[in-house]
């Protein structure tokens, strides 16, 4: 048995308190990770509040983990004690279904979440299947890399799935926890990048992150000059949008792709048919895509903008997430 010292909430919207629990003997395909840092994602807040009605209490969140391998099961082939690894939203998948064998482990029908099926990384240790403990390149900072395991791969995966080319013109809707990383990825990818936000408050910052153009939707005729322009519009927001207006900005065969959990999409079909345009969405990425994303970040010096708290100050960090304006990701360090 292994004792884990964690922070857990005992009820919806509750405070995190010191909490200990025991892990059973390690399984043959599992690894234990000693946590160095763990990002806080808005999904952690949704789980804390039981917004999705699947939270079990006591709740130990945290699915943007960076840490070192401290124990391995007897069948673990690719990791050694001391390896620096990251653990994101998914902690295990079956590895034998057709979907997993096709390289889409994140779409496995029985995939298990790090904070939905077990206790997560707001702790000194966390356990997962070895496949989901992804090696961290040496050039990435353990205190800032955590958000790449969730927010980062969420906006990187669509570029791979839709085979975005360096010549593509891509717009990013929402310059926040997801959008600020998408701008960096797309710029390094070689795309012409347009940032879209409500006002011009974030224009200077967006351009510094890689945007070549900027649209403020509160301005009159905001989309007048971009009709039929974009090969992809990547929505990172969770709000209702004027979907038809965005579809009109797509080039022929363009895609409006949403990774933000907007409540619903309402769109007129005929303009999509005429231009062979499409709507799509995606969750996080596969194991290989996540590894490629981390290596891409190391190569191009892509770093999430973070505010770092001591893990003992977890409630202060959640208060900032709930009622403040983080710039743009919060990270807990041990």
């Amino acid at each position: 048995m292994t004792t884990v010292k964690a922070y857990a909430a005992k009820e919806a919207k509750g405070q995190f308190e010191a909490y200990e629990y025991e892990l059973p003997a390690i399984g043959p395909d599992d690894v234990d990770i000693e946590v160095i840092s763990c990002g806080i994602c808005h999904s952690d807040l949704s789980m804390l509040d039981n917004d999705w009605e699947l939270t079990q209490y006591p709740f130990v969140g945290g699915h943007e983990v960076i840490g070192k391998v401290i124990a391995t099961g007897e069948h673990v082939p690719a990791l050694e004690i001391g390896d620096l690894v990251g653990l994101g939203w998914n902690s295990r998948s079956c590895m034998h279904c057709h979907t997993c064998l096709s390289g889409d482990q994140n779409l496995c029908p029985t995939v298990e979440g790090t904070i939905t099926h077990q206790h997560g990384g707001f702790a000194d240790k966390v356990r997962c299947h070895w496949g989901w403990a992804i090696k961290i390149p040496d050039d990435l900072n353990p205190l800032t890399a955590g958000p790449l395991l969730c927010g980062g791969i969420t906006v990187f995966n669509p570029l791979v799935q839709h085979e975005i080319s360096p010549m593509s013109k891509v717009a990013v809707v929402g310059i926040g926890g997801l959008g600020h990383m998408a701008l960096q990825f797309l710029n390094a990818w070689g795309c012409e990048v347009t940032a879209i936000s409500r006002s011009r408050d974030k224009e200077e910052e967006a351009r510094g992150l890689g945007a070549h153009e900027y649209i403020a939707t509160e301005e009159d005729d905001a989309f007048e000059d971009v009709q039929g322009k974009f090969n992809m519009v990547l929505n990172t927001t969770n709000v209702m949008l004027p979907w038809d207006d965005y579809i009109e900005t797509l080039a022929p065969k363009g895609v409006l792709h949403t990774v933000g959990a907007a409540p619903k999409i309402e769109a007129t079909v005929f303009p999509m048919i005429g231009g062979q345009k499409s709507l799509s969405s995606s969750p996080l990425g596969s194991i290989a895509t996540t590894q490629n994303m981390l290596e891409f970040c190391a190569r191009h010096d892509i770093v999430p903008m973070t505010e770092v708290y001591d893990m003992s100050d977890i409630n202060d960090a959640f208060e900032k997430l709930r009622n403040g304006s983080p710039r743009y990701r919060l990270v807990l360090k041990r």
Side-chain angles (χ1 to χ4, degrees):
M1 302 288 282
T2 300
T3 301
V4 179
K5 296 181 178 180
Y7 288 91
K10 297 180 180 178
E11 61 184 3
K13 301 185 180 181
Q15 294 284 294
F16 286 93
E17 302 173 5
Y19 173 70
E20 291 189 5
Y21 69 96
E22 301 292 331
L23 287 171
I26 194 168
D29 295 312
D30 288 349
V31 298
D32 285 346
I33 302 168
E34 183 178 56
V35 177
I36 295 173
S37 68
C38 186
I40 303 176
C41 174
H42 202 277
S43 298
D44 291 305
L45 183 60
S46 295
M47 285 290 292
L48 170 64
D49 294 350
N50 199 22
D51 289 342
W52 303 328
E53 298 184 353
L54 52 80
T55 309
Q56 297 184 25
Y57 300 93
F59 167 67
V60 180
H63 59 277
E64 297 179 347
V65 178
I66 303 294
K68 290 187 176 182
V69 175
I70 55 172
T72 62
E74 59 182 329
H75 293 164
V76 174
L79 294 172
E80 299 179 355
I81 304 300
D83 282 347
L84 186 67
V85 297
L87 174 64
W89 178 262
N90 298 317
S91 59
R92 61 188 67 241
S93 50
C94 77
M95 300 296 187
H96 60 75
C97 69
H98 185 270
T99 301
C100 283
L101 294 177
S102 298
D104 294 317
Q105 302 90 355
N106 57 310
L107 304 180
C108 174
T110 61
V111 69
E112 296 184 12
T114 302
I115 63 171
T116 57
H117 292 74
Q118 63 173 64
H119 289 321
F122 297 159
D124 64 346
K125 306 177 193 71
V126 66
R127 178 173 291 176
C128 69
H129 185 281
W130 67 265
W132 288 100
I134 300 174
K135 286 187 178 181
I136 301 298
D138 292 339
D139 291 337
L140 295 184
N141 185 342
L143 290 183
T144 58
L148 295 172
L149 276 300
C150 183
I153 186 59
T154 295
V155 294
F156 185 88
N157 190 41
L159 312 187
V160 176
Q161 299 305 316
H162 291 284
E163 299 180 342
I164 294 299
S165 79
M167 298 303 296
S168 295
K169 297 178 175 63
V170 182
V172 177
V173 184
I175 313 306
L178 296 175
H180 90 282
M181 286 186 275
L183 296 179
Q184 295 180 73
F185 284 134
L186 288 162
N187 182 281
W189 207 268
C191 299
E192 180 182 311
V193 188
T194 299
I196 301 179
S197 189
R198 185 182 61 81
S199 71
R200 295 214 170 256
D201 291 349
K202 296 182 179 180
E203 180 171 7
E204 181 178 356
E205 188 168 66
R207 290 184 182 276
L209 290 165
H212 302 101
E213 304 294 340
Y214 190 95
I215 294 173
T217 58
E218 68 179 8
E219 296 176 359
D220 293 338
D221 301 321
F223 296 138
E224 183 177 2
D225 295 331
V226 292
Q227 300 294 292
K229 175 178 180 176
F230 300 121
N231 303 107
M232 172 185 279
V233 173
L234 179 60
N235 172 48
T236 69
T237 71
N238 61 357
V239 299
M240 286 294 293
L241 295 175
W243 301 104
D244 283 349
D245 291 347
Y246 282 97
I247 290 170
E248 289 295 329
T249 71
L250 294 176
K253 297 187 178 181
V255 58
L256 173 53
H257 189 97
T258 185
V259 294
K264 59 182 177 179
I265 294 176
E266 294 181 343
T268 306
V269 173
F270 190 75
M272 297 172 59
I273 294 174
Q276 199 172 322
K277 303 173 183 181
S278 61
L279 301 172
S280 68
S281 61
S282 62
L284 295 86
S286 68
I287 292 170
T289 303
T290 304
Q291 185 68 69
N292 288 340
M293 180 267 303
L294 292 172
E295 292 173 2
F296 188 82
C297 290
R299 182 181 303 171
H300 294 283
D301 195 26
I302 293 172
V303 181
M305 295 175 63
T306 58
E307 298 180 26
V308 180
Y309 288 72
D310 290 333
M311 192 166 287
S312 59
D313 294 327
I314 184 172
N315 289 308
D316 292 338
F318 266 84
E319 175 64 21
K320 179 69 173 286
L321 180 61
R322 187 186 296 276
N323 297 313
S325 298
R327 272 293 200 270
Y328 280 102
R329 309 289 294 198
L330 300 173
V331 174
L332 302 174
K333 68 174 182 178
R334 286 190 57 250

